[in-house]
Amino acid sequence: MTRVAIVTGSSRGLGKAIAIRLAKDGVKVVVNYHSSRQQAEEIVREIVAGGGEAVAIQASVTDEEGVRKLVAETEGYFEQSVDIIINNASGPQPELSLKEVTWQDYLDQLHFTVKAPLLLTKTVMEKMKHNQWGRIITIGSEVVEIGNAEFSNYVTAKSAVIGMTRSWATELGGFGITVNTVHPGFIPVERHGEVTEESAQGYISGVPLNRLGKPEDIAAQVAFLCRDEAGFITGQNIQVNGGNTFGV
Ligand SMILES: NC(=O)c1ccc[n+]([C@@H]2O[C@H](COP(=O)([O-])OP(=O)(O)OC[C@H]3O[C@@H](n4cnc5c(N)ncnc54)[C@H](OP(=O)(O)O)[C@@H]3O)[C@@H](O)[C@H]2O)c1
C-alpha cells in the first residue's frame, strides 16, 4: 500500500528536498506551507511531472486549528490516513545573547520544535496505532552538540527534541511506530542567499568529509527511516553533518 506523508514546511529548503525524495520513493506527499503558496504548488507540479503524487496544503503547524485542518485535508485528499509525519517547519531563528533573549523568544522556537510535533503526533497516532505502522521523524540540528553562544533560544528548543524522541519512541514502539530525529549540519538553502565552498571555508575546515551538506543529504536519511527496512530503528538522534559532530 502506498504510504501518505505530511512534510511540514516543505515549500522550500530542506523540506522541499524531503518532499521530492519521498515522492520519488513512491510516497504520497503533502507539501505543507505557511505562506509560500506558489512555491509549494510548483513543487507539487514537479513531483507530479516525475510520476509522483502530491498536494500542497496551507496550514500553520504551530496552532491547533492549523494542524486539525492539515490532517483533515490530507485524509480527505488521499482518502487514506497519515502514515508518516516529518516535523521540519521552522520560523525565524534570531541569534540573541542571554542579555537580549526573553522567555517569549524561547517559546517562539519551542512552538516549532515541540508544540507542532506534539499536536501532529496526537492528531495522527491513533490511526497509526490501529494500522500498526507509523513513522515520526523530526528535523533537529547539530547546534545541540555545538552549544552555540548567543543562540540559546534555538539550541534549547532543538535540544528538547532529543528527549521527546526517546520518550515517544518508548511509548509508541509497541504499535509499530518508530520515532527518530535527524540532525543536519549547516546546509545552505534559499534563505541563506549565496553560499559557496569558499565563503563557508571556516565551517568546512572543521568537517571531516570536507564539504558542505546538500538538502538531498538530509532527504536521503529521512527517506531511509521511512522505509519498512528501517523498522528496527527508533528513538535515535542521527547526525547528518559530514562528521562535524559525533552525537552521543
Ligand atoms: N538549513 C540548515 O542549515 C539547517 C541546519 C540544521 C537544522 N535545520 C532545521 O531544518 C528544518 C528546515 O530548515 P530550512 O533551513 O530548510 O528552513 P526554511 O528554509 O526557513 O523553511 C522553513 C519552512 O517552514 C515553513 N513554515 C514557517 N512557518 C510555518 C508554520 N507556522 N506552519 C507551517 N510551515 C511553516 C516555511 O513555509 P513558507 O515558505 O510558506 O513560509 C518553509 O517551508 C528546520 O527545522 C531547521 O531548524 C536547518
Side-chain angles (χ1 to χ4, degrees), residues 8-15 32-37 39 59-62 87-91 93 112 139-142 154 158 183-192:
T8 72
S10 46
S11 49
R12 52 197 167 93
L14 305 187
N32 161 246
Y33 65 98
H34 185 247
S35 44
S36 306
R37 190 173 126 209
Q39 286 95 321
S60 175
V61 291
T62 55
N87 294 303
N88 168 79
S90 63
Q93 299 159 5
F112 282 98
I139 307 301
S141 172
E142 69 173 6
Y154 181 72
K158 286 290 186 188
H183 296 271
F186 171 48
I187 316 272
V189 293
E190 297 89 324
R191 71 182 162 92
H192 294 113

Side-chain angles (χ1 to χ4, degrees), residues 14-15 17-18 21 86 88 137-140 182-187 189 213-225 238-242:
L14 305 187
I18 294 167
R21 174 60 204 258
I86 313 295
N88 168 79
I137 299 168
T138 301
I139 307 301
V182 173
H183 296 271
F186 171 48
I187 316 272
V189 293
K214 303 186 292 288
E216 291 74 19
D217 293 319
I218 307 306
Q221 178 60 52
V222 170
F224 174 68
L225 290 169
I238 300 161
Q239 319 294 318
V240 182
N241 62 2

